[in-house]
Amino acid sequence: DGVVVSEKVKSSNLDVKIPESGLETEEKGTEEEPTRRSDGNILDVSLDYPRDKHISIQRHLSDLEKLADLREDKKKPCPLCPEEKFKACYSHKLRRHLQNLHWKVSVEFKGYRMCICHLPCHPGKPNLVGDQTVSKVGAHYHCIICSATITRRTDMIGHINRHVNKGETESRFITVRAPPTEVIKESATDVQVLPNHSTPQKTDSYFNPKMKLNRQLIFCALAVLAEERKPIECLDAFGATGIMGLQWAKHLRNSVKVTINDCNENSVTIIKENCHLNKMKVKLNIKEEGNDETVGDGEENTGTIEVTKMDANIIMHLRSFDFIHLDPFGTSVNYLDSAFRNVRNLGIVSLTSTDISSLYAKAQHVALRHYGCNIVRTEYYKELAARIVIAAVTRAAARCNKGIEVLLAVSLEHFVLVVVRVLRGPSTADASAKKIRYLLHCQWCEERIFQKEGNMVE
């Protein structure tokens, strides 16, 4: 209610005295008064409590409402919920939301309320949907004594009681901020990544510096296609940080119309931030062209990038592209039918397969399940891996009455890259399918030969 509350720390039992009115504050004029930060949070003067606490830890409901700034009569987002969970609304609805969802289920400790928080401070266990990792953000509480985040209210109460039983009342709280980002530069393109960017299962901004050669080869294929026709529509189906699509738009400029897609909400947010970092115009939705976001800082934008949040199969079924690149974490066979369905004639499809355990004959049962091949470990296992991927691509294109022309096949230690040109027509599909032959390999003398047409084996 606008009353400044003073705090008095007893040296014996570290209890906090909270007066109910401002009269006691005037009488205790010699005591320190808490100062307020610019965002309205109280900085505590007692050594018993954090000096920079999380925004979900407040003394009064009015302090929580001040974070949302309910004085203005316009739609405001909830300060403790992400936008996809609770959309911005007017003050009367937001006030009820703060009171019923956050304040009533809070945990109280010495005059402070630890409200439930839905921000991405405590990511849940990652789930594998198809071949993409999706992390769900869980509701949680922030401990006022330590930096722990607890998911259940009963567990939070038990956690606080354990602190009290151990005599731990002095705060060791570390403020939970947004994860620190690191800016990485590659080919004159800057991208922000999270600290754990090298672990695909645990991060939303997977970035592998070892794949630089892979990105350069794909860029060369796209640059050659850009000389043949302009402008070309190209798709990076698995954006992650958006580094590949950003390089396309930054260097080829108006020759390409780049679409970066990812099904993870956090990855889409990072892609948008990286577009702004590189002074790109972000086109959020093809149906909402009036809602484009532009961040230029007074400089001329170098290009426009469309950022979408869909499953890769869906966007490739809905729209046609001249150039498609597939780089899921693992095999690409689940996306080949969608890629060849709407790709334009004489377009290019490139795919990066990182499931080298199956392609290099370490997991033969997986290779049989994904590629329909019985393979053994040979001295030419890398070439064999590239041929297996090309065979899978050929079958997928033939099912869509399309043939292929192999432009590039690279098999390195950690990935297999295949770039093919699409040729429409049943006759070209038949010609490509006839080139798929079984390889007969003798493990005694290492002799190998392609099986000839027909059912007889010599």
Side-chain angles (χ1 to χ4, degrees), residues 82 84 118-129 131-139 194 196 199-206 262-268 270 309:
E84 61 269 14
H118 292 270
L119 298 176
C121 322
H122 183 86
K125 294 182 179 180
N127 298 326
L128 198 63
V129 179
D131 284 333
Q132 295 176 321
T133 304
V134 180
S135 296
K136 291 187 177 180
V137 179
L194 299 177
N196 57 348
T199 309
Q201 295 91 343
K202 297 181 180 180
T203 184
D204 297 320
S205 64
Y206 180 60
D262 204 290
C263 71
N264 192 319
E265 179 68 31
N266 296 330
S267 295
V268 171
I270 293 174
K309 178 182 175 293

Side-chain angles (χ1 to χ4, degrees), residues 47 69 72 159 205 236 244 248 262 269 295 353 390 427 438:
L47 298 178
D69 194 12
E72 299 182 10
H159 178 81
S205 64
D236 182 8
M244 191 173 298
W248 298 347
D262 204 290
T269 302
V295 175
S353 299
I390 293 173
S427 58
Y438 283 106

